[in-house]
Amino acid sequence: MLYQTAVPDTANTLRNSQLGMIISSTVKCLNNKGEVRMEKLRVIQVATGTVGTHSLRTILGRRDMELVGLLAFSPQKVGVDAGTIAGTAPVGVTATDDFEAILGLDADVVAYNALGETRDPEAALDQICQLLESGKNVCSTAVSVHIYPQIIKSSPLRERLEKACATGGVSFHSSGINPGYMMDVWPISLCRLTRTIDTIYMTEMVDMSRYTSRQIGDYIGFGKPVEEPLVRFPREVVTESSFYASLQMFADATGLEFDDVTLDWEVAPTPREIVTPVYNVEPGQVGAVRITLRAYKNGKIRVENQWVWVLGEDVAPAEWPYGDGAWSVRVVGDPCLETRIETSTEFDAKQPDVLMTGVQTVNAMPSVVAAPPGVHTHLDLPLFSGGFFAEA
């Protein structure tokens, strides 16, 4: 288990000093070389889509960060001031589509929010590695399996990222809201309070009817014909999926042992026509999806993770749980625990899950810059937070 790895006293001292610096000051930074810097973190933002815009707005609002570069993939945004894109006052940094120019900038860290997951994961990995090799720390939301890259056995993903980090003398961290918090970091922290765990149930509930980007919805299958009521994926596919990344991180942190894992994908037809900013779904087409991941030991369910994504409250079957942006964790053990997080925002498409995906990654930056070179998952970084670092 990763938490049982022996750490030399000198490393503990460094880790504790890093944490103190991160918390005690919004302008004091310890970089990967152990040098104390007394100025703001110089940050590059890559991508200005739904997540990227939230990330950009967060960077511009933090008093310990300075935006020094902005890469946009939309031609209409090239040459536009970053503040205008974020909906704030102009800041004097304009968007470019020149990746080589971004590589040449002097910056401490990059917020990488390109659409790697639903478009081209390999292209995203190539750019991430080039940024790392150029001496820039990278905090990414682009490819979900990157949050725990050691789950990938079919290619040397972690080795490639580690090599790029070593070349640039910097660090890489991947995060998000789920995976990246709701089914890994949050329950890991919650289970500090348990003596024993029999079974843990985790559920994500997101109403996607306000989404303004259709890439994720297309991946999920909204608007497609309902052909199979239930699909079970092969184990070799499950264990290299983004759904599995959270499970393995949670298992390594809590001592969970399991000998089987299944992933079921259910779809439900909408009973009515649905019109969203990106979809016109006819009655009978897919309007709701439920994905269930289960980990077993000797035939007993030890973990059940469930994702319920819908295009409206009345679309899914009545027995499916609903939330507009909600997550629940229920621990059956000693003691039994039950918690639920409800979220909301008034920005952009009013989708808090998208906001939180970008924000947590920005909040991780001081910790990532302070960390020694290498790939750092949530199990490696010290405790960090955010919120009050933003300008009032």
Side-chain angles (χ1 to χ4, degrees):
M1 293 185 296
L2 295 184
Y3 277 166
Q4 293 181 338
T5 302
V7 181
D9 289 343
T10 53
N12 277 330
T13 301
L14 176 61
R15 175 63 59 85
N16 291 336
S17 66
Q18 290 170 357
L19 180 57
M21 288 184 178
I22 291 164
I23 293 176
S24 65
S25 173
T26 61
V27 295
K28 183 184 293 185
C29 303
L30 186 69
N31 65 20
N32 307 92
K33 300 175 179 63
E35 302 164 337
V36 177
R37 295 176 51 250
M38 294 299 294
E39 61 267 12
K40 295 181 178 182
L41 284 181
R42 298 160 297 177
V43 183
I44 294 171
Q45 172 65 44
V46 171
T48 56
T50 52
V51 174
T53 300
H54 281 302
S55 175
L56 177 61
R57 186 179 296 120
T58 305
I59 293 165
L60 294 177
R62 282 188 64 131
R63 59 180 179 266
D64 58 345
M65 296 181 183
E66 176 189 2
L67 184 75
V68 297
L70 175 61
L71 183 72
F73 294 99
S74 301
Q76 63 269 29
K77 294 180 181 178
V78 174
V80 180
D81 189 274
T84 301
I85 293 173
T88 66
V91 295
V93 177
T94 57
T96 180
D97 59 359
D98 186 347
F99 183 68
E100 293 299 322
I102 291 294
L103 283 176
L105 291 176
D106 184 15
D108 298 300
V109 61
V110 179
Y112 191 89
N113 305 123
L115 284 171
E117 189 85 45
T118 54
R119 287 195 173 174
D120 194 338
E122 284 303 315
L125 179 60
D126 287 343
Q127 286 195 336
I128 288 169
C129 287
Q130 290 180 67
L131 289 163
L132 292 168
E133 290 164 356
S134 73
K136 300 172 183 62
N137 298 279
V138 176
C139 292
S140 172
T141 62
V143 184
S144 294
V145 294
H146 288 180
I147 73 153
Y148 216 56
Q150 51 264 54
I151 69 168
I152 303 299
K153 308 301 182 184
S154 59
S155 67
L157 172 61
R158 175 141 191 166
E159 291 85 347
R160 184 177 174 190
L161 288 167
E162 291 281 9
K163 183 178 179 180
C165 289
T167 299
V170 291
S171 295
F172 172 77
H173 174 67
S174 177
S175 190
I177 191 62
N178 196 27
Y181 188 81
M182 293 299 184
M183 289 183 177
D184 34 64
V185 178
W186 176 31
I188 287 170
S189 177
L190 188 66
C191 287
R192 292 177 181 178
L193 306 177
T194 60
R195 183 178 68 85
T196 61
I197 303 172
D198 186 38
T199 305
I200 182 168
Y201 301 89
M202 296 177 267
T203 304
E204 171 176 289
M205 297 152 279
V206 179
D207 190 329
M208 303 179 71
S209 60
R210 295 188 302 275
Y211 266 49
T212 56
S213 175
R214 67 177 296 149
Q215 282 83 6
I216 294 177
D218 286 347
Y219 169 76
I220 291 171
F222 288 140
K224 294 181 179 179
V226 176
E227 296 174 351
E228 297 289 343
L230 174 65
V231 177
R232 173 160 289 185
F233 287 84
R235 182 186 176 94
E236 61 270 20
V237 173
V238 176
T239 55
E240 292 204 353
S241 70
S242 58
F243 304 104
Y244 186 81
S246 288
L247 173 62
Q248 190 61 61
M249 187 190 299
F250 176 80
D252 287 341
T254 60
L256 168 69
E257 296 180 353
F258 56 95
D259 52 30
D260 193 18
V261 60
T262 62
L263 182 70
D264 298 330
W265 193 296
E266 301 172 79
V267 298
T270 173
R272 59 174 176 83
E273 181 183 14
I274 299 173
V275 178
T276 80
V278 292
Y279 285 106
N280 288 332
V281 181
E282 299 296 327
Q285 294 179 336
V286 174
V289 175
R290 179 167 68 172
I291 302 165
T292 306
L293 176 73
R294 295 185 178 96
Y296 298 85
K297 181 66 174 180
N298 298 327
K300 175 182 175 60
I301 297 176
R302 303 308 306 273
V303 176
E304 181 178 280
N305 291 349
Q306 186 175 206
W307 295 259
V308 181
W309 301 324
V310 302
L311 294 178
E313 185 173 359
D314 62 340
V315 174
E319 65 271 20
W320 290 15
Y322 174 80
D324 193 8
W327 291 262
S328 66
V329 174
R330 179 165 64 93
V331 180
V332 178
D334 187 25
C336 293
L337 303 171
E338 189 161 0
T339 62
R340 183 179 172 105
I341 294 178
E342 297 276 355
T343 63
S344 64
T345 180
E346 294 301 314
F347 281 94
D348 300 339
K350 298 183 179 182
Q351 289 290 157
D353 55 318
V354 178
L355 166 66
M356 293 185 292
T357 297
V359 166
Q360 183 183 205
T361 310
V362 174
N363 287 337
M365 286 179 175
S367 296
V368 174
V369 171
V375 175
H376 298 280
T377 74
H378 281 289
L379 299 189
D380 306 310
L381 292 177
L383 187 66
F384 65 86
S385 192
F388 285 106
F389 291 104
E391 299 286 359

